[in-house]
Amino acid sequence: MNSENKVLLQVINLKKYFPVSRGLFTNRQTRYVKAVDDVSFEVFDGETLGLVGETGCGKTTVARTILQLYRPTSGNIIFDGIDLTSLAENELRKIRRRMQMIFQDPYASLNPRMTVGNIISAPLDVHTDLGGKEKQDKVQDLLRLVGLNPDFVNRYPHEFSGGQRQRIGIARALALNPDLVICDEPISSLDVSIQAQVVNLLEELQDRLGLTYIFVAHDLSMVRHISDRMVVMYLGKVMELADRNEIYLRPRHPYTRALMSAVPIPNPRKARDRQRILLKGDIPSPLNPPNGCNFNTRCPMAQAICFNTDPEYREIEPRHYVACHFA
Amino acid sequence: MTNGTAMKPLMEIKNLTTRFYTQDGVVNAVNGISYTLDPGEILGVVGESGCGKSVHALSIMRLIQIPPGEIPAGEVFFGGRDLLKLSEREMRMVRGHEIAMVFQDPMSSLNPVYTVGFQISEALMLHKKMNRSQAKVRAIELLNLVGIPEATKRFDNYPHQFSGGMRQRAMIAMALSCEPKLLIADEPTTALDVTIQAQIINLVIRLQEELGMSVMWITHDLGIVAEMVHRINVMYAGFIIERGFVDDIYNHTLHPYTMGLLGSLPSIDEAPGTKLISIPGLPPDLIALPEGCPFFARCTYRVEQCHQERPQLENAQEAGHTVACWRWREIQGFGVA
Amino acid sequence: MGRYILRRLLSVIPTLIGVTLVIFLFQRLIPGDPAVAMLGEHANAENVARIREQFGLDKPAFLDRDALAEGDLPGFFDSQYVRYFGRLLQFDLGESIHRRIPIAETLKERFPATVELSLLAMSIALVVGIPIGILSASRRNSFLDGATMIGSLVGVSVPIFWLGIMEIMFFAVIMKWLPSGSRLSSGIVIKPITNLLLLDSLLTGNWVGFKDAFLHILMPAISLATIPTAIITRMTRSSMLDVLQEDYIRTASAKGLSERIVLFRHALKNAFLPVITIIGIQAGTLLAGAVLTETIFSWPGIGKWVYDSILGRDYPIVQGVTLLIAIIFLVVNLLVDLSYALLDPRISYE
């Protein structure tokens, strides 16, 4: 996807802090978990933006805040020109049909007491007044679209395998013909051979329906396969944003470099020849991020400036953004 | 290291079979698998969920709950004796001592109400007959060995005070405490972040070089095993369907399932727009295993014989490479059978 | 850990105050003149006047606004509730209406009887229930397990009064092995130190007294123990079953530890938390006075006493004992919470 496409979504200086209560009896909040700490990026119409990072990086919080499942602490989310953060609940509801989510755990995200048909038609019930036959037809179309037998309409989730349940989740997400679909770790709980099936399906649907994806995941090779551009996050901040090949072949941020070198390569010779950058230590707690650059506790290149000044997030090449003093 | 014939294997498994009796029927989790493991060898056991890779490891350790489980057949020769025939008491002397195991989720695998140091000391006090203070000294050494900083202080910490990566290191320290000849690691990095996973893999490789034990690394991730193991067993529906040295498995893949598995993985240098090869369908029901090849229903190369007769592991061209497929020669293009 | 304990201890105070308020209010909820309500319509005037004075019924309930209007600040606070609370602080629970004996004194005599009985019953429940629960869980679906489940079901279902009467019939009347009631045979004297007879007799070296007290307490304790034993057994069993599924139990086995160590060291400490909650509840219930058991065995504890007082409409006693029971539950709950902190290191740290 090229940048001539229009911008579908803008995330501007997004912050989401979660208060943690302290104090003997009261809920006096003196500390915050800075789950998302000033994140900005754009998503172009029709592209797949990969959002990667490890535990505590905030990618899932970003995804949820975009959908306004959490209200941002500060910052703006502009969807197709409309600032979501300024909308009232009823206006927001109308926009919601254009942004949907596919969830990680296909066992937990489907109500075990609802039939598949009801699960998929639930969004239709909320947002449209389709009824009777029209609604049934739509549900069956959706099942066919995701490669499931439409006769399964009256079955319950527990009668399906993990991969099939994930397809049901996808059908549900597509029921309202959204523009943007956020996939929150949609394949992590699936077996390898099933992951390929689901990813192929997602790509096919994107081509057919002109969808835009934000793909949140920690499986870096799969994210690279499906994404056009990638955002690398660490401890609530964006470290790097670039085209996917740039991220893999010419990463500029030391964290991205370490991350890419840590990805397992299913090719023995290449794997042995590869130089791995091993990071020391653990990911700090988001309750207590370091002063200066968030990555300074583990960065192999950290210098004095890294410990007292937050690096600026800037465009070092066209469409390639990095937050590092030395990129 | 591993040239197979010149030295006596550390472990030899023959026809290991494990079943579970459930309300829905008998689950045939492990179906007569056989292989050898050499001293100092790192073996990767690869397969997806339900293939029997974890169950077979638990069967070796005799940690299968009996009932509902049962190990009706098989022999596991280790240190000159068949582990399956030992008494429970004799087996306890093997566990944690000659064979040690590391599990997938380090948070739930450590007892939350005892300190990490104590849990490491337990094996030492049991198998090495150390007293508390001796065990403490050794445990702190081990914590250092696995790269946990401030080991002395950490000895008195509880599991919830450790991060995920640290916990897994502590588990490894616990497993290595009595210098086992074989370390079995069951999906040890699946629950960890990528950079932490890299640290742990590096740690295990280093420890294996230093201590010389054999390692069985069980995983579904074909990326991980590529860089760290010597040999691979590929398992499907309780069978070993291909086995060989790591380069052969990746570069001369023989079994259609293995090919499908490797094809489902995105590769760094693939052209943009490449579709992943996905294996259609689902693994077979272990309660009602088909008569013929377990992979029959999903195989693009299947013929009638595959449906009727179950293929056994047979030798392929390279040394140590075996495959259970009737058509492997044709698939590779070596003339017609 | 310290902060948790401190917070927990401090939270007792507002709860206690709340309890006294509720007890105070209940009495006022009775329509009409409380004094007449207490004594009945045919009570004589003298008693009514005495009750009115004891409860300060001529004063307003909470705060005397009239006194404030007159600028009388101490008078503002001189109300029924304040007086009541003030007396409580001096351990003055008032007097029995009918017998005019200070309640606090009777409490001092009768409460230890209940305490002794409850302690023994609880000990039996723990000593029997916990090991059987553990063994049952480790030998799931075995004969022992089946017997345990049936036994505990029976224990919970059998009416105590029936069981008690059967015990008396068999052991006292037919076999004549055990006495049929009360704490001591007539003629036996034990020097009262704590009023826990078993303890006192041991402290004073009174072997004869000990034996006698023991024989008397045996049947009621066993009767009283049946329900807690059954419940604790079941709770221990199910909690152990849950814990035995956990991954760290598999790790412990994988280290080569014996089954005994895995059960009693690794599993039990984790399984014990829910059991402690149950023990707390049971302890509270036991100490609150086992009316049935005390009645059947003529055991001079607070259970029977408060029961009689309710029938006799002796409200000050009911009020006083209710307060005591509330305090008992508070203390027991506090102990349970504190023991959580001891057992589970995750709770101590934040």
Side-chain angles (χ1 to χ4, degrees), chain A residues 114-122 139 143 152-155:
Chain A
M114 287 170 76
T115 62
V116 162
N118 286 336
I119 289 173
I120 297 177
S121 61
V139 170
L143 281 170
F152 290 168
V153 156
N154 288 319
R155 294 210 187 163

Side-chain angles (χ1 to χ4, degrees), chain A residues 54-55 191 193 197 225 279, chain B residues 48-49 193 195 199 270 279:
Chain A
E54 299 178 295
T55 309
D191 272 327
S193 57
Q197 290 179 11
H225 170 84
L279 292 177
Chain B
E48 297 174 298
S49 46
D193 282 317
T195 52
Q199 289 176 356
E270 68 188 6
I279 310 176

Side-chain angles (χ1 to χ4, degrees), chain A residues 53-55 161 164 191-194 196-197 199-200 203-204 218 220-222 224-225 244 248-249 255 258-259 262-272 274 276 278-283 298, chain B residues 48-49 163 165-166 193-199 201-202 220-224 226-227 246-247 250-251 261-262 264-282 298:
Chain A
E54 299 178 295
T55 309
S161 70
Q164 288 171 320
D191 272 327
V192 170
S193 57
I194 312 293
Q197 290 179 11
V199 166
N200 284 344
E203 289 183 306
E204 190 194 307
H218 64 264
L220 290 157
S221 27
M222 199 56 93
R224 186 205 158 260
H225 170 84
R244 63 136 178 243
Y248 267 82
L249 300 172
Y255 176 61
L259 203 59
V263 178
I265 300 177
N267 180 319
R269 200 179 353 107
K270 290 207 183 125
R272 283 192 291 259
R274 184 236 316 249
R276 246 216 181 127
L278 280 179
L279 292 177
K280 293 203 192 1
D282 285 310
I283 303 170
R298 306 168 80 200
Chain B
E48 297 174 298
S49 46
S163 70
M166 290 290 163
D193 282 317
V194 156
T195 52
I196 309 292
Q197 174 173 275
Q199 289 176 356
I201 291 174
N202 191 54
H220 63 271
D221 189 332
L222 278 162
I224 296 180
E227 70 179 285
V246 65
D247 287 295
Y250 283 87
N251 299 327
L261 216 50
L262 285 170
S264 340
L265 299 176
S267 136
I268 291 279
D269 38 359
E270 68 188 6
T274 315
K275 277 238 168 295
L276 300 170
I277 302 171
S278 68
I279 310 176
L282 294 169
R298 306 169 79 190

Side-chain angles (χ1 to χ4, degrees), chain C residues 227-272:
Chain C
I227 293 183
T229 309
I231 295 180
I232 288 175
T233 308
R234 291 186 81 122
M235 194 66 219
T236 306
R237 176 185 177 274
S238 78
S239 186
M240 282 291 284
L241 279 177
D242 281 341
V243 165
L244 287 173
Q245 301 301 317
E246 294 284 345
D247 288 342
Y248 53 82
I249 299 295
R250 184 182 53 180
T251 307
S253 303
K255 282 196 283 200
L257 298 170
S258 69
E259 190 192 3
R260 194 171 47 88
I261 293 188
V262 171
L263 272 181
F264 287 94
R265 189 192 289 171
H266 283 266
L268 186 55
K269 201 170 175 196
N270 283 284
F272 213 58

Side-chain angles (χ1 to χ4, degrees), chain C residues 1-305:
Chain C
M1 157 107 95
R3 170 183 282 159
Y4 174 78
I5 294 181
L6 186 63
R7 208 186 334 188
R8 194 62 191 77
L9 283 172
L10 285 178
S11 71
V12 168
I13 299 172
T15 318
L16 261 178
I17 297 179
V19 164
T20 59
L21 256 171
V22 169
I23 290 178
F24 175 77
L25 278 172
F26 263 128
Q27 198 211 22
R28 304 290 174 273
L29 287 175
I30 307 168
D33 187 318
V36 174
M38 277 188 237
L39 297 172
E41 283 133 10
H42 307 291
N44 67 43
E46 190 205 326
N47 282 340
V48 171
R50 194 166 35 84
I51 287 296
R52 292 191 70 87
E53 200 236 309
Q54 190 181 122
F55 286 94
L57 291 176
D58 44 335
K59 291 266 173 229
F62 286 108
L63 296 167
D64 191 350
R65 280 198 213 99
D66 297 329
L68 188 62
E70 289 166 21
D72 180 7
L73 195 58
F76 176 55
F77 288 109
D78 187 14
S79 66
Q80 292 182 32
Y81 178 68
V82 170
R83 286 192 172 194
Y84 170 64
F85 198 75
R87 263 184 264 131
L88 282 182
L89 291 176
Q90 297 168 27
F91 298 114
D92 176 5
L93 290 162
E95 293 178 347
S96 147
I97 292 181
H98 302 298
R99 318 272 293 286
R100 304 177 74 165
I101 301 173
I103 295 173
E105 255 185 56
T106 324
L107 257 182
K108 252 190 283 179
E109 284 169 24
R110 302 192 73 119
F111 190 50
T114 300
V115 169
E116 194 176 24
L117 184 59
S118 309
L119 276 178
L120 191 56
M122 185 49 93
S123 309
I124 295 175
L126 291 176
V127 163
V128 170
I130 293 179
I132 292 188
I134 296 175
L135 281 171
S136 237
S138 70
R139 308 235 177 290
R140 192 183 190 169
N141 295 328
S142 67
F143 179 72
L144 169 66
D145 191 22
T148 305
M149 293 304 282
I150 294 178
S152 61
L153 193 58
V154 169
V156 167
S157 317
V158 165
I160 293 192
F161 56 85
W162 179 85
L163 182 64
I165 292 176
M166 289 296 114
E167 284 177 11
I168 294 178
M169 278 258 300
F170 186 73
F171 292 105
V173 176
I174 298 177
M175 304 302 296
K176 296 202 194 337
W177 286 339
L178 294 174
S180 64
S182 70
R183 293 180 86 184
L184 285 176
S185 313
S186 50
I188 306 274
V189 174
I190 298 180
K191 178 152 172 257
I193 308 175
T194 60
N195 240 334
L196 299 172
L197 294 182
L198 291 174
L199 185 60
D200 288 346
S201 54
L202 284 177
L203 289 177
T204 53
N206 184 345
W207 178 241
V208 172
F210 181 81
K211 194 155 149 243
D212 191 63
F214 182 73
L215 290 175
H216 277 90
I217 204 175
L218 199 55
M219 280 199 295
I222 291 179
S223 268
L224 193 56
T226 38
I227 293 183
T229 309
I231 295 180
I232 288 175
T233 308
R234 291 186 81 122
M235 194 66 219
T236 306
R237 176 185 177 274
S238 78
S239 186
M240 282 291 284
L241 279 177
D242 281 341
V243 165
L244 287 173
Q245 301 301 317
E246 294 284 345
D247 288 342
Y248 53 82
I249 299 295
R250 184 182 53 180
T251 307
S253 303
K255 282 196 283 200
L257 298 170
S258 69
E259 190 192 3
R260 194 171 47 88
I261 293 188
V262 171
L263 272 181
F264 287 94
R265 189 192 289 171
H266 283 266
L268 186 55
K269 201 170 175 196
N270 283 284
F272 213 58
L273 279 166
V275 179
I276 287 212
T277 313
I278 297 287
I279 292 176
I281 297 173
Q282 292 299 310
T285 317
L286 287 181
L287 283 167
V291 177
L292 285 174
T293 314
E294 290 184 9
T295 307
I296 291 173
F297 291 95
S298 309
W299 194 263
I302 61 173
K304 181 153 192 331
W305 183 42

